[in-house]
Amino acid sequence: MSISQIGFVPGNRNLYKLALLHKSASHYTKDGTVLNYERLEFLGDAVLGAIVAELLYKFFPLKDEGFLTRVRSKVVSRESLNELAINIGLDKAVVAKSDISRNKHVYGDVFEAFIGAMFLDQGFANTQKFIDKFIFPNFFNIKDLVTVDRNYKSRLIEWGQKNKKEISFQVDENFRSRRNRFVCKILIAGELKGCGKGASKKEAEQNAAEQIIGEMSREPEKVLEI
């Protein structure tokens, strides 16, 4: 897929060429400066984070900062950006002199570098428009993003960090049961607060955390802010 196919005509093509230049194929200036995508990746990471944060802020006007942080983290995760880069064809445009196919994050890094190049070439407003009008509608399902908030374990850990409470997960395996093979006990500040069962360790942890979050949410003082 060419750049013109995704909504804009580049002004400085050299920026985009640099964004696609893997460090294994680095160029060097006369004074020894190394040229590859890494500096643009640093810039693009910050720009993308700011744009996604604003989009989510406007899209979910009633959600708190914890929810917005979790959804943003899912959008800009290396796994998500890597898949996105492949979907728009950036993986085929990367210039490298080594086998980068085993590095599952490199294409996501290149996407961030691409955003950094676009920011320098097109400005913040046009880069934001590109993310809002092209990337989000075509590659992200808002309903799917909302399901990230169902990660009860992460939410409980986040609450513990915010309130300086030590949280520990103790998982035991019950070989007698196939359906609920794992049992998870959650201790908060050394006190048993919840217990959950599941066919996997992850399921047991999630069920135990969900139990605690449900109980705390029903407390009059609303101790757990979710």
Side-chain angles (χ1 to χ4, degrees), residues 40-222:
L40 284 174
E41 177 198 349
F42 164 79
L43 178 61
D45 175 59
V47 173
L48 182 63
I51 291 174
V52 171
E54 183 178 359
L55 289 177
L56 295 177
Y57 182 86
K58 293 178 178 178
F59 199 91
F60 299 106
L62 302 180
K63 295 293 187 178
D64 65 16
E65 72 282 2
F67 171 87
L68 297 176
T69 297
R70 290 188 291 274
V71 175
R72 182 182 61 179
S73 295
K74 184 173 183 179
V75 172
V76 301
S77 70
R78 278 292 169 269
E79 181 180 352
S80 177
L81 294 184
N82 190 65
E83 182 178 350
L84 172 59
I86 293 173
N87 285 336
I88 66 175
L90 286 181
D91 59 316
K92 297 179 178 63
V94 177
V95 177
K97 290 185 178 180
S98 64
D99 182 9
I100 59 175
S101 61
R102 295 182 180 181
N103 186 339
K104 63 181 180 179
H105 298 318
V106 66
Y107 300 126
D109 296 342
V110 169
F111 177 78
E112 288 184 331
F114 184 84
I115 294 299
M118 186 184 297
F119 169 71
L120 293 177
D121 182 48
Q122 301 283 316
F124 186 84
N126 285 333
T127 305
Q128 185 179 42
K129 183 178 179 180
F130 169 75
I131 299 296
D132 186 20
K133 304 300 182 183
F134 180 76
I135 295 298
F136 259 77
N138 292 306
F139 300 102
F140 288 105
N141 186 314
I142 294 299
K143 291 183 179 179
D144 289 342
L145 291 177
V146 172
T147 62
V148 72
D149 207 40
R150 295 176 185 171
N151 190 332
Y152 299 106
K153 180 180 178 181
S154 293
R155 292 167 65 185
L156 187 60
I157 291 174
E158 181 182 312
W159 172 84
Q161 293 172 340
K162 183 176 181 180
N163 292 276
K164 297 181 180 180
K165 299 285 188 180
E166 181 181 354
I167 299 177
S168 61
F169 295 77
Q170 298 181 356
V171 180
D172 295 316
E173 194 168 358
N174 179 11
F175 294 98
R176 295 180 181 178
S177 174
R178 296 182 62 182
R179 185 174 182 180
N180 292 312
R181 185 173 178 176
F182 294 88
V183 178
C184 176
K185 296 178 181 178
I186 298 180
L187 284 71
I188 299 180
E191 184 179 350
L192 179 63
K193 289 293 186 179
C195 184
K197 298 179 180 180
S200 67
K201 177 181 177 182
K202 181 178 180 180
E203 183 181 356
E205 290 175 336
Q206 290 289 349
N207 288 339
E210 181 181 9
Q211 179 191 61
I212 294 175
I213 286 177
E215 291 177 357
M216 287 184 169
S217 298
R218 289 190 290 270
E219 292 181 8
E221 299 83 1
K222 294 184 178 179

Side-chain angles (χ1 to χ4, degrees), residues 7-65:
F8 72 97
V9 178
N12 186 349
R13 289 182 177 272
N14 288 330
L15 282 171
Y16 301 96
K17 290 180 180 179
L18 184 60
L20 296 169
L21 190 64
H22 187 257
K23 61 182 179 180
S24 65
S26 296
H27 293 170
Y28 299 86
T29 64
K30 292 181 179 179
D31 63 1
T33 301
V34 181
L35 299 177
N36 55 48
Y37 70 70
E38 291 183 334
R39 279 171 52 83
L40 284 174
E41 177 198 349
F42 164 79
L43 178 61
D45 175 59
V47 173
L48 182 63
I51 291 174
V52 171
E54 183 178 359
L55 289 177
L56 295 177
Y57 182 86
K58 293 178 178 178
F59 199 91
F60 299 106
L62 302 180
K63 295 293 187 178
D64 65 16
E65 72 282 2

